Amino acid sequence: MTTARAARAAAGATTGAAGDGGLGSVTEAMTLLLPSRKRPAAAAAAAAEAADGRPGGGFVSLDGGRESPASVALRRRLLATHATQLEAMVSDVLSQSNHAVLRQIVDFVDHATPSPFGTPYSELPTASLLTGINSTDHVQFYAQLAASLRTAGHAVAELKPADASSLKLAMRCMIQDLTAGAQRLDAEDDDDGEDGEQAVLQQDAALFPSSGKMATAPAFSIERLVGWYGHQRAQRGPGSAGKLVVLVTEFEGIDAAVLSRLIMICSERLAELPFVFVICLATSVDALHQALPRSVISLVRIEKFKLQHVHECINELGAVIQLNPDMGFKLGARPYQQLLDSFHLHNMSVSAFIRGIKYGMMAHFYGNPLSVLAQQFSNAGDDRSNVPLTESQLLSIRMLPSFREHIESIKESHPSLVRRLLTDDAALAEHVQLLMSNLRAYQSRFQAAFQIAMEIQQSFSAAALQRPVCMLIADAFYGNLMETDHFKTIGLAFKHRRFAVVKEVLEKVERASLACPKPVPLPAEVTRDGDDLEMDSHDEAAASQDKTHAKHGNSSIKHPPGSHESILELLQISAQFTASSSDGQDGQTDQDALGSLQESDEDADDAMYLMKQGLKRARLEVLRSRKTNVATRLKPLDLQAMVVPSKSPESWAIAAAHCIWEFLHEALEVYTSMPLYEAVYYSDSGKSLAKVFTAQPRAVVQTALGHSTTYLPCDCCADVEDDALSHTLEDTSIAYRLYLECGRMINLYDLHTAFSTVLQQRPRGDATDGGKTRKSSAKGTKSRSKGKSKSKSRQEPASDGDTDETAIEPRPDATQIQARFVQAIAELQLLGFVRPTGRKTDHVVRLTWGAV
């Protein structure tokens, strides 16, 4: 009631000020527009149009209007499909993250009794739930908690700070929610709610039929709740009526006195009404003890519960959304990092993170004509999704940076294919399908490799080797994850892990390499003589590899590290190590078992070839990069120290770790290396995400003060330049522009003198030159005489035919200038530009540097 009356009063005052024709400040021109309960006709028409699937609803034809209506409709359907998919994934993550807490609270309410240990006194069962600082993020959790409690057969009343402004209102809201009767009365009806009281009387007549002469208890009386619960117990039975749960949300914002009295009233009625309180705390349980008096705390029995940490929820959301190969939309490196920075440094809000992802999805499908290529990720047999690419879309594909890099990479091996892709639209459309299938295969392989990398990280207990999942995803989007310093350190430590740990990870890599789809290779180029160019290159590579193997003796492993064949051979060798260790347990020592293995195992040298080749390649790269004499002598010694005897389990572990790292390095390539990644990953080239979700109050204030015409498009300031000073500007803007010319210590007398000079250049509203700014001349008596004559003419009364626009404003005197200057300096101090100093009373300190 108070808010509505204040809004109407503010709107009336604004209307009166506008009607008088003069606005003393910017705030007087602001009005409060209350939302209408009726749905606008335009919104209803847009919703009907969206239901029909017709083009529109904000989707326009891109590429200069050359996009076909079928592509526009496809972008719209893809946005709806991905939005539904995103909502389902977010709902699953949030429900699973809080599933354990929900089950614990419901179990606590089921078994809550006033005297659990048979004590002669009773205590009010209370659950203190630590939710976190962002209360807006927990609205969905409160709804889930209330639904779970109602499903268990309990009555739930949600008590918000707006409902607890007085004890009368809090009691009425609690009773109405518990009885599940008429809808909750608004707070405005607390003073003059005749319709609400009539509804309550009708509810009483339905629940408790009685004679018309009997008085009815008011809506806020606890007797009403006692009668209702007795009626429910008589109908359902003594043990099936359930508990009366009061869910207090945002405890820090509720009136402590009202809550204390409510707890005392409910505690006195525990013999008749089985109350259970659930108090949600944003900080800690200490806030409960500090806000409530000791007499109230002694009436409750508190049990602590805690929600899942928001960082864990962000990790799960990032893994589900950014690594899901079945979703045709993902945030790029920069927008994803922007959302992470906003979460960690500003708001710590999960809902804001989700809103950012939704905004990125909307912007991607609204503004990217190539987002129609995401149909391969969400095409569930819908014939409408098979829309051919238009000529403008094919031209846009040829202009993509990733596609041009792809052309440059295959122009030597596939020259005829490059020629067809650049000249034939049909060949390009077919090749786009192949590239998109390879992109989806890359995402499946990336997800599997990322999970293996996370398992390797979790195998270490040291806190220095742990990094959150969301940050690892950001690192993987900026570059290869295995090339980061974090995983280089893990790689050095992983080589010295136990044999069983390395073998388990290698088995997971082998299963992942089999389960993940393989990329479709490009068609082989055939020369005029019928020879296959690709086969010739493979033969040359195989011949060079045979020569290399011949230098190292009889070697049967000729596969590159990280391939599926090399993984299988390493697993076969590991079986021999396992068999030898089991035989050693029967009677041989470990040294005897290794000695017999060294004598009989000739294939161990073949497996160690993988590790030795990697070390030799690293040695050559280091020698080429380091040219100093000291580094050339010392670096090979460090690398040789890494080589261990080649027929031991330690050597096998090093070779297996090298093979695992090669697989992960190949699978975790950055997404920008894939052709046509722009069709799936939202890059936010215009930085719209940062502009929408990152507030910049300083830039806004400085723009408003330094470029007043941007916010106040008045005619008097139309010809004033941005860096010029004019008496037509607002007083605060004049003071700010003078402030920019000052140093660290600002002399208020000098600033007042300059401010007075600007205001006395020309008075406002001069009708002789249309209100335009005119430079005043400080030299000569002629200009001063002109100014005096003009001031005298302004003091003459205007004729009846003159309008308000030609009215002449008098020159401000010294008192008015001083008052306006004091107000301008006070506003600058309020905005944080200056502050007073105790060292010099006539000076202020400048607090900001630089202007927008």
Side-chain angles (χ1 to χ4, degrees):
M1 185 67 183
T2 306
T3 305
R5 290 177 178 174
R8 289 193 292 269
T14 305
T15 306
D20 295 340
L23 296 176
S25 62
V26 181
T27 56
E28 293 185 7
M30 299 174 62
T31 57
L32 179 63
L33 300 178
L34 298 177
S36 176
R37 296 180 180 270
K38 297 182 179 180
R39 192 176 186 181
E49 185 180 9
D52 296 337
R54 294 174 294 175
F59 284 85
V60 296
S61 180
L62 302 177
D63 290 334
R66 294 175 296 176
E67 188 181 13
S68 62
S71 298
V72 176
L74 177 58
R75 285 193 291 117
R76 185 173 185 172
R77 289 196 299 271
L78 288 175
L79 175 59
T81 302
H82 285 82
T84 305
Q85 186 178 3
L86 178 63
E87 287 287 348
M89 291 189 299
V90 169
S91 179
D92 292 343
V93 169
L94 295 181
S95 60
Q96 292 176 4
S97 62
N98 299 320
H99 178 70
V101 181
L102 290 174
R103 186 176 63 253
Q104 294 173 5
I105 294 178
V106 172
D107 185 69
F108 168 77
V109 174
D110 290 338
H111 300 86
T113 55
S115 301
F117 306 106
T119 56
Y121 55 88
S122 59
E123 296 175 331
L124 181 63
T126 303
S128 63
L129 179 61
L130 302 180
T131 58
I133 57 177
N134 287 305
S135 58
T136 56
D137 286 349
H138 311 310
V139 176
Q140 184 177 0
F141 171 76
Y142 296 151
Q144 294 177 355
L145 178 59
S148 301
L149 291 173
R150 290 190 180 98
T151 304
H154 307 292
V156 182
E158 185 176 353
L159 195 62
K160 301 179 181 179
D163 302 330
S165 58
S166 63
L167 180 62
K168 175 182 176 182
L169 179 61
M171 289 291 297
R172 179 163 61 178
C173 294
M174 181 189 70
I175 293 173
Q176 288 181 356
D177 278 357
L178 290 175
T179 56
Q183 296 181 355
R184 174 181 296 188
L185 303 178
D186 296 336
E188 296 177 311
D189 297 334
D190 189 32
D191 298 332
D192 47 358
E194 297 180 358
D195 297 338
E197 295 292 343
Q198 186 65 27
V200 171
L201 293 176
Q202 295 178 1
Q203 178 186 357
D204 289 338
L207 289 176
F208 316 108
S210 60
S211 61
K213 297 181 181 180
M214 183 178 295
T216 305
F220 52 86
S221 176
I222 194 69
E223 299 297 335
R224 295 172 52 83
L225 191 59
V226 172
W228 173 84
Y229 189 76
H231 182 68
Q232 296 293 323
R233 181 180 298 177
Q235 287 185 346
R236 300 181 182 180
S240 61
K243 305 291 191 338
L244 302 179
V245 183
V246 181
L247 179 60
V248 181
T249 62
E250 304 179 26
F251 170 78
E252 286 76 7
I254 204 169
D255 191 355
V258 174
L259 183 60
S260 300
R261 296 177 63 185
L262 182 64
I263 291 176
M264 295 177 65
I265 293 174
C266 296
S267 177
E268 294 175 357
R269 294 285 185 161
L270 282 178
E272 302 171 316
L273 300 173
F275 280 107
V276 177
F277 272 65
V278 179
I279 301 178
C280 302
L281 303 171
T283 53
S284 64
V285 185
D286 296 337
L288 188 66
H289 291 271
Q290 294 174 2
L292 301 180
R294 186 177 301 178
S295 59
V296 177
I297 294 295
S298 62
L299 299 177
V300 299
R301 187 182 71 256
I302 302 176
E303 186 170 344
K304 299 179 183 179
F305 299 92
K306 187 176 181 180
L307 285 181
Q308 186 184 24
H309 204 275
V310 290
H311 290 87
E312 300 177 3
C313 189
I314 289 295
N315 291 334
E316 295 178 3
L317 285 174
V320 168
I321 297 173
Q322 295 293 97
L323 302 180
N324 186 10
D326 297 330
M327 191 171 183
F329 167 79
K330 291 174 177 60
L331 292 176
R334 185 169 61 183
Y336 181 71
Q337 186 66 45
Q338 171 69 27
L339 293 181
L340 285 184
D341 293 342
S342 179
F343 173 79
H344 289 111
L345 303 177
H346 293 89
N347 48 31
M348 296 286 291
S349 174
V350 178
S351 59
F353 185 83
I354 297 173
R355 287 195 300 268
I357 297 176
K358 292 180 179 179
Y359 178 85
M361 178 182 295
M362 180 194 68
H364 179 71
F365 285 101
Y366 266 83
N368 189 0
L370 298 181
S371 59
V372 296
L373 298 178
Q375 59 183 320
Q376 294 195 8
F377 292 84
S378 59
N379 189 0
D382 190 1
D383 296 336
R384 297 181 302 172
S385 298
N386 299 324
V387 178
L389 297 175
T390 60
E391 183 180 355
S392 61
Q393 291 174 340
L394 294 174
L395 180 61
S396 301
I397 290 175
R398 291 190 177 101
M399 297 174 62
L400 289 177
S402 62
F403 185 79
R404 285 183 289 180
E405 293 178 2
H406 174 64
I407 292 296
E408 291 292 332
S409 64
I410 65 174
K411 66 179 182 180
E412 299 293 339
S413 59
H414 299 78
S416 60
L417 177 61
V418 170
R419 190 180 303 108
R420 292 196 306 270
L421 293 180
L422 296 179
T423 57
D424 189 2
D425 291 346
L428 178 60
E430 183 179 357
H431 190 71
V432 165
Q433 302 295 328
L434 183 143
L435 294 179
M436 293 303 296
S437 63
N438 289 346
L439 180 59
R440 185 168 186 176
Y442 156 78
Q443 292 183 355
S444 301
R445 196 175 181 88
F446 186 93
Q447 182 188 29
F450 189 87
Q451 293 176 355
I452 293 175
M454 285 302 305
E455 292 177 358
I456 293 175
Q457 176 183 267
Q458 294 173 359
S459 64
F460 295 93
S461 58
L465 298 180
Q466 302 298 322
R467 189 167 171 82
V469 178
C470 58
M471 302 304 296
L472 290 178
I473 295 176
D475 296 341
F477 277 17
Y478 275 106
N480 197 305
L481 186 62
M482 309 311 295
E483 295 179 358
T484 59
D485 295 338
H486 177 70
F487 267 93
K488 285 181 180 179
T489 306
I490 291 179
L492 294 176
F494 185 73
K495 294 178 181 179
H496 304 285
R497 300 290 290 174
R498 292 184 295 106
F499 174 81
V501 175
V502 178
K503 181 180 178 182
E504 181 182 0
V505 175
L506 188 63
E507 291 175 349
K508 294 179 180 179
V509 170
E510 190 269 337
R511 291 194 295 268
S513 61
L514 282 178
C516 296
K518 302 298 186 296
V520 181
L522 297 178
E525 291 284 343
V526 180
T527 61
R528 295 180 180 178
D529 299 334
D531 298 333
D532 194 341
L533 296 180
E534 236 180 44
M535 293 301 298
D536 293 342
S537 61
H538 285 311
D539 292 340
E540 294 177 0
S544 62
Q545 193 175 13
D546 290 340
K547 293 180 181 179
T548 306
H549 280 271
K551 296 181 182 180
H552 298 275
N554 297 327
S555 178
S556 60
I557 298 180
K558 300 182 180 180
H559 304 289
S563 63
H564 183 67
E565 292 78 6
S566 62
I567 295 173
L568 289 179
E569 295 184 11
L570 284 173
L571 289 176
Q572 292 176 1
I573 297 174
S574 67
Q576 300 176 5
F577 283 102
T578 306
S580 63
S581 62
S582 62
D583 295 338
Q585 293 178 358
D586 296 338
Q588 291 182 342
T589 62
D590 294 339
Q591 294 181 355
D592 295 338
L594 293 177
S596 62
L597 181 63
Q598 292 176 1
E599 295 177 358
S600 60
D601 189 8
E602 298 179 356
D603 296 333
D605 294 333
D606 300 336
M608 294 307 107
Y609 170 74
L610 300 173
M611 181 266 298
K612 292 179 181 179
Q613 287 300 312
L615 293 176
K616 287 183 179 181
R617 184 170 62 253
R619 183 186 297 112
L620 291 176
E621 292 176 358
V622 171
L623 291 177
R624 291 170 184 171
S625 60
R626 303 294 297 273
K627 298 300 183 182
T628 60
N629 294 330
V630 177
T632 305
R633 290 195 303 268
L634 295 181
K635 197 63 180 179
L637 297 177
D638 296 339
L639 292 174
Q640 289 175 3
M642 297 171 58
V643 182
V644 295
S646 59
K647 294 183 180 180
S648 63
E650 291 81 4
S651 299
W652 181 92
I654 294 177
H658 177 68
C659 186
I660 293 171
W661 245 245
E662 288 293 333
F663 171 81
L664 296 179
H665 190 278
E666 180 185 356
L668 292 176
E669 284 290 337
V670 64
Y671 71 94
T672 54
S673 62
M674 299 299 298
L676 303 184
Y677 73 88
E678 295 91 346
V680 177
Y681 292 86
Y682 173 62
S683 59
D684 191 18
S685 57
K687 298 182 179 180
S688 60
L689 194 64
K691 296 177 182 178
V692 172
F693 289 95
T694 303
Q696 298 177 352
R698 177 180 175 180
V700 172
V701 171
Q702 289 182 335
T703 303
L705 295 177
H707 307 275
S708 303
T709 55
T710 304
Y711 292 88
L712 298 176
C714 53
D715 297 336
C716 60
C717 300
D719 297 337
V720 179
E721 298 180 359
D722 293 337
D723 55 348
L725 289 172
S726 174
H727 65 276
T728 60
L729 297 174
E730 289 291 332
D731 295 340
T732 310
S733 179
I734 296 175
Y736 173 75
R737 299 189 186 196
L738 294 173
Y739 158 87
L740 295 178
E741 302 175 0
C742 300
R744 181 177 178 271
M745 298 294 294
I746 302 176
N747 192 328
L748 290 179
Y749 178 78
D750 297 341
L751 190 64
H752 173 266
T753 304
F755 184 81
S756 176
T757 303
V758 173
L759 291 184
Q760 290 180 351
Q761 282 181 356
R762 285 192 60 83
R764 299 188 180 185
D766 191 0
T768 57
D769 56 353
K772 297 183 180 179
T773 305
R774 176 181 173 185
K775 296 182 179 179
S776 61
S777 176
K779 296 181 180 181
T781 57
K782 186 177 295 185
S783 61
R784 288 194 295 268
S785 62
K786 289 182 178 180
K788 292 180 180 179
S789 62
K790 290 182 180 179
S791 62
K792 291 180 180 179
S793 63
R794 291 190 190 97
Q795 295 177 3
E796 297 178 357
S799 61
D800 297 338
D802 295 340
T803 60
D804 294 340
E805 297 179 355
T806 61
I808 300 175
E809 181 181 353
R811 182 189 300 270
D813 54 9
T815 306
Q816 294 177 352
I817 292 176
Q818 183 178 1
R820 291 164 63 177
F821 174 75
V822 171
Q823 182 180 5
I825 296 300
E827 291 182 357
L828 289 181
Q829 182 180 353
L830 179 63
L831 294 174
F833 290 100
V834 296
R835 68 173 177 84
T837 176
R839 300 173 60 183
K840 294 183 179 180
T841 57
D842 58 341
H843 285 65
V844 292
V845 180
R846 180 175 178 176
L847 299 179
T848 62
W849 301 92
V852 179

